[in-house]
Amino acid sequence: MSKYIDPRYKDIKPYTPGEQPKAGSLTKLNTNENPYPPSAAVQQAVQGQVSTLHRYPPPAAEELVNALAHQHGIQPENVFVSNGSDEALAFCFQALCPNGAAFADITYGFYPVYSKLYHVNSKIIPLRQDFTLNPEDYTGLAQTLFIANPNAPTGLALSLAQLEDLLQEDRLVIVDEAYVDFGAQSAVQLLDRYKNLMVIGTFSKSHSLAGARLGYAIASQELIEDLNRIKFSFNPYNVNRMTIAAGVAALQDKAYHEQCKNATMEIRRQSLDILHNMGFSCTNSMANFVFASHKNVPAEEIYVKLKQRNVLVRWFAQPRIDNYVRITIGTQSEMNILFSELRGIL
Ligand SMILES: *Cc1c(COP(=O)(O)O)cnc(C)c1O
């Protein structure tokens, strides 16, 4: 740290991303990326932008906003696009938490980090023993709620009825749907009825574009105006030309999206059976990962030994979940490598 840093940032503990090794012979099941590359159409669309990179991108990214509105059956006024959904979440913490924030004790690790960064008081609400969220625990809270649905790293999803319970009181509810395409129900369909709802989405998981950095928010026109107020005071060109083109092409290529996500859901189903037979218990994950705890072998040991065998999974040294590993659903052959190494370890 330099002596020039503002003391307010001295004790921030930055988010720790999953390891991104230099590729090679590693089986990488640690950061919930899509194991399938972007489709040929997306790759071509990105190529098509290279010759225009001397120009700034369109600041409102109209083409992409329109494509997202069309996809979700809403109006362009209800859509905001961001440099990864993390940026949209950051803007929410910065500008949409006048009464503080509230979120679960076990959830996306960026919520507490942004909360610190933007000096937002946060109330941490413990999940039940089985990691389910009880909407009643949020009764009477005036804070802005951040709900990852499905949740990370547990994979557990709330029903729309449970989300509606949270929306009854007059406070902003931000539903982070990073993993929604792998089997949960999207809250976008509740938008007409709840002005206090914002849904955050990303292209990093089901759309195979983690490296392009593209996310979005869907909400009332007024809330979208609030996000634009922050964006145009910070970085009007937050989504670059290649990423805008990639996003539009990815939304058009519906068949490829379906195919990849169906493959992941099918491999998840098989993987849960195999892990169960090996002595793991797993949560009922609706995401592109499983969250698994072994009856005999501690999770940290599994994580370390898998790493020695060139298989990367995620382990969190955090109370309540430190006997679990989070394993991203890879391709069939990646999962076969995982299972054979796991058999060796167990
Ligand atoms: C992966 C993830 C995100 C996505 O972040 P991007 O910035 O869009 O890559 C957001 N929320 C949760 C809960 C996630 O797991």
Side-chain angles (χ1 to χ4, degrees):
M1 214 177 310
S2 82
K3 66 180 182 183
Y4 304 107
I5 192 171
D6 184 320
R8 287 181 303 168
Y9 301 109
K10 275 187 171 167
D11 63 351
I12 277 182
K13 202 171 161 294
Y15 179 75
T16 313
E19 299 151 88
Q20 295 290 352
K22 287 243 156 51
S25 59
L26 224 90
T27 303
K28 190 171 179 308
L29 303 173
N30 67 332
T31 49
N32 300 342
E33 291 140 324
N34 201 309
Y36 311 105
S39 72
V42 170
Q43 298 189 28
Q44 214 168 13
V46 171
Q47 265 305 326
Q49 287 302 313
V50 175
S51 65
T52 67
L53 286 181
H54 58 311
R55 299 297 184 199
Y56 283 111
E62 291 87 351
E63 203 191 344
L64 177 57
V65 164
N66 290 340
L68 275 164
H70 179 73
Q71 149 107 354
H72 289 283
I74 52 176
Q75 298 306 309
E77 295 73 38
N78 301 118
V79 180
F80 173 82
V81 293
S82 57
N83 191 319
S85 58
D86 289 338
E87 186 185 53
L89 287 166
F91 290 173
C92 291
F93 275 92
Q94 186 178 359
L96 295 174
C97 296
N99 301 316
F103 44 85
D105 60 339
I106 297 162
T107 189
Y108 188 36
F110 243 125
Y111 304 158
V113 174
Y114 286 143
S115 176
K116 262 252 157 76
L117 179 63
Y118 294 109
H119 308 105
V120 169
N121 284 323
S122 53
K123 187 168 173 64
I124 309 293
I125 319 270
L127 297 175
R128 294 191 185 101
Q129 194 61 41
D130 63 358
F131 304 139
T132 56
L133 182 151
N134 181 3
E136 285 175 19
D137 293 342
Y138 293 75
T139 306
L141 297 185
Q143 287 92 338
T144 298
L145 309 187
F146 288 82
I147 309 283
N149 195 47
N151 197 12
T154 65
L156 297 178
L158 294 173
S159 66
L160 284 189
Q162 287 173 309
L163 284 175
E164 283 200 73
D165 286 347
L166 296 171
L167 287 159
Q168 298 310 315
E169 295 185 40
D170 188 16
R171 60 193 170 192
L172 181 58
V173 179
I174 295 176
V175 183
D176 179 351
E177 296 192 344
Y179 302 104
V180 77
D181 289 343
F182 301 104
Q185 270 188 300
S186 173
V188 169
Q189 59 192 286
L190 301 176
L191 203 67
D192 283 344
R193 287 161 46 214
Y194 297 99
K195 293 288 172 222
N196 57 335
L197 169 65
M198 179 180 288
V199 176
I200 306 279
T202 180
F203 284 69
S204 293
K205 313 285 160 58
S206 73
H207 281 102
S208 298
L209 285 173
R213 312 305 303 125
L214 181 57
Y216 56 93
I218 290 176
S220 72
Q221 182 174 348
E222 292 76 12
L223 281 166
I224 297 303
E225 285 167 6
D226 296 341
L227 291 177
N228 276 313
R229 179 181 280 270
I230 304 302
K231 159 179 153 159
F232 283 95
S233 310
F234 172 66
N235 177 11
Y237 308 113
N238 62 337
V239 183
N240 72 65
R241 282 182 176 276
M242 292 178 292
T243 295
I244 292 173
V248 171
L251 289 174
Q252 280 166 355
D253 208 340
K254 286 201 174 66
Y256 185 76
H257 179 244
E258 282 288 306
Q259 189 187 322
C260 294
K261 96 181 181 199
N262 288 339
T264 292
M265 289 193 289
E266 175 57 23
I267 296 171
R268 178 181 69 201
R269 196 187 59 73
Q270 295 167 9
S271 301
L272 287 170
D273 282 346
I274 295 169
L275 289 167
H276 182 78
N277 290 335
M278 287 181 175
F280 283 94
S281 43
C282 301
T283 58
N284 180 27
S285 174
M286 293 287 153
N288 65 341
F289 55 82
V290 294
F291 198 50
S293 182
H294 194 266
K295 61 177 195 239
N296 302 321
V297 187
E300 183 178 13
E301 187 179 335
I302 292 173
Y303 160 74
V304 168
K305 290 191 168 162
L306 279 173
K307 195 170 171 181
Q308 287 162 356
R309 295 162 184 242
N310 291 323
V311 178
L312 266 191
V313 299
R314 195 91 197 257
W315 172 72
F316 299 92
Q318 187 186 323
R320 294 189 72 188
I321 57 169
D322 57 3
N323 203 25
Y324 283 80
V325 285
R326 191 194 69 190
I327 305 169
T328 304
I329 301 297
T331 62
Q332 191 72 255
S333 62
E334 288 173 323
M335 299 311 279
N336 290 342
I337 294 170
L338 166 79
F339 296 134
S340 108
E341 297 300 348
L342 272 179
R343 283 190 192 98
I345 292 166
L346 299 172

